[in-house]
Amino acid sequence: MRILGIDTSCDDTAAGVADGERTVLSSVVATQHDLHAAFGGVVPEIASRAHAERISVVVRRALADADTRLEDLDAIAVTTRPGLVGSLLVGVAFAKALAWSRGIPLVDVHHIEAHAIAARADHPDLAYPYVCLVASGGHTALYACRGPREIERLGQTQDDAAGECFDKVAVLLGLPQPGGPSVSRLAADGRADAVAFPRHRSGGEGLDFSFSGLKTAVLYYLKGPGGRRDAPHRADLPVGLADVAASFERAAVESLVAPSLRAAAREGARDLVVGGGVAANRELRRLLAARAPAGLAVRFPRPGLCADNGAMIAMRGAELFAGGRVAPLDLDVDPYAGD
Ligand code: KG4
Ligand code: ZN
């Protein structure tokens, strides 16, 4: 079964082709980091305009890379929720037009549910049920995935998403966006035990996350107590910036690891699946593997399938389509789904 997947939920224009639920044939992502860099965050209007300019080229490339013609497609899957409304609309309008003009069935996909199955491409034996941590720039949550249509949220962040926290700390450290990779690169030269940043304890046994206290702790450490974001770093900083980056990264990662392992234990899971941009983090991969108890396998997607991509939309679409799901052509977007 050949499926084209399209994702324009945020600032990446992405398309990919999958052969069934587990095999990625292509994945093409046009990032917009350069367009938003000067604004310190994603500007929705710029994002949707760039999607409109790029989507046709990105989809053509994804089909060509997969050696697939439009007439070979069994279905077209597209992200309808959640995301930026104007961005989502570009992908959905494009997918609808393609589906209608060629008589190809359309399948609507929830972006977070696609992150939750991205690891499948690299773990052929992965099967339901499992517990999943999705940590991205917009979401950080734990799910019990019991079947294709039985996905229950167990806990989520009370404030910032993990990736958002990396992005904000990158700004404080004067590093480029996206913050995750740039903070990680600097952290590689630092000591993770140099600064004792706080970990969110989530009331002992909770399955929720919080990153705003950690973000503020880094702010006050760099600028002095009560310091403002745009103030210069304090002159008497006791350690180097690489040490601050490494200590922050360790605290952020430990704040993700503890609730995830608790959720896996509570659900009696044999597999803990990780997805979302933050799943690319090396320290998260190392620490989760090191702390997982015997009998719990931790499954990460390959780095290229962690952040937003169309291949995961295609795989999730294949799974839903195989289960009989087809979307009507008056399909709408749902920007706040799952919030
Ligand atoms: O899944 P994604 O591409 O977009 C959303 O759906 O939000 O995730 C992007 C987020 C950004 O916040 C980025 O800084 C973070 O993932 N990220 C990382 C790493 N690579 C990307 N965070 C920590 N470590 C990384 N290596
Ligand atoms: Zn995402």
Side-chain angles (χ1 to χ4, degrees):
M1 184 201 295
R2 294 248 165 157
I3 296 236
L4 168 68
I6 296 175
D7 186 281
T8 59
S9 57
C10 188
D11 59 342
D12 292 323
T13 314
V17 177
D19 185 359
E21 300 173 18
R22 295 178 185 272
T23 308
V24 174
L25 299 180
S26 68
S27 181
V28 177
V29 182
T31 62
Q32 301 180 6
H33 301 140
D34 49 334
L35 300 181
H36 303 280
F39 303 97
V42 175
V43 182
E45 179 61 21
I46 293 176
S48 42
R49 281 170 189 256
H51 286 311
E53 285 165 7
R54 297 168 180 199
I55 182 132
S56 182
V57 174
V58 169
V59 168
R60 272 175 212 270
R61 173 77 70 81
L63 289 169
D65 286 359
D67 206 8
T68 298
R69 296 163 306 171
L70 281 174
E71 47 269 40
D72 300 329
L73 291 175
D74 294 291
I76 297 172
V78 63
T79 301
T80 59
R81 60 199 188 280
L84 299 170
V85 62
S87 290
L88 287 167
L89 280 169
V90 175
V92 169
F94 191 90
K96 275 184 190 175
L98 211 51
W100 176 76
S101 64
R102 297 292 178 133
I104 304 169
L106 188 65
V107 183
D108 58 307
V109 169
H110 188 295
H111 181 85
I112 310 296
E113 293 174 4
H115 273 306
I117 58 98
R120 203 187 266 172
D122 299 302
H123 302 280
D125 57 327
L126 180 61
Y128 295 110
Y130 56 80
V131 164
C132 181
L133 165 70
V134 176
S136 70
H139 296 84
T140 298
L142 283 162
Y143 300 89
C145 301
R146 304 195 173 98
R149 306 291 293 273
E150 296 160 80
I151 299 174
E152 183 197 345
R153 189 168 63 207
L154 303 172
Q156 65 176 328
T157 181
Q158 304 300 302
D159 38 60
D160 292 352
E164 182 183 1
C165 187
F166 271 92
D167 294 339
K168 288 176 175 169
V169 166
V171 172
L172 296 176
L173 291 168
L175 301 172
Q177 298 295 320
S182 48
V183 169
S184 254
R185 263 193 303 277
L186 180 61
D189 299 324
R191 289 183 305 122
D193 60 355
V195 188
F197 288 127
R199 276 82 169 143
H200 176 60
R201 298 274 175 230
S202 101
E205 291 309 304
L207 299 181
D208 57 342
F209 305 94
S210 167
F211 292 96
S212 72
L214 172 58
K215 174 190 64 187
T216 306
V218 176
L219 170 69
Y220 289 175
Y221 189 83
L222 288 172
K223 317 284 182 177
R228 290 170 49 92
R229 216 177 320 164
D230 49 4
H233 291 173
R234 66 189 161 111
D236 60 342
L237 210 57
V239 301
L241 292 184
D243 288 339
V244 176
S247 302
F248 157 73
E249 182 178 52
R250 175 68 62 82
V253 162
E254 287 191 338
S255 302
L256 288 170
V257 167
S260 302
L261 294 181
R262 269 202 295 276
R266 192 179 295 181
E267 291 290 314
R270 280 167 301 155
D271 293 288
L272 173 61
V273 175
V274 189
V278 183
N281 186 277
R282 288 230 198 122
E283 181 66 4
L284 177 63
R285 288 170 179 250
R286 189 189 69 72
L287 215 64
L288 258 186
R291 299 206 179 153
L296 179 69
V298 186
R299 319 274 205 154
F300 286 93
R302 71 187 81 163
L305 295 182
C306 291
D308 293 349
N309 66 87
M312 69 179 188
I313 306 302
M315 288 191 287
R316 175 67 176 156
E319 172 177 75
L320 293 171
F321 187 62
R325 188 173 182 104
V326 175
L329 281 173
D330 64 354
L331 178 67
D332 206 351
V333 300
D334 186 1
Y336 301 108
D339 278 358

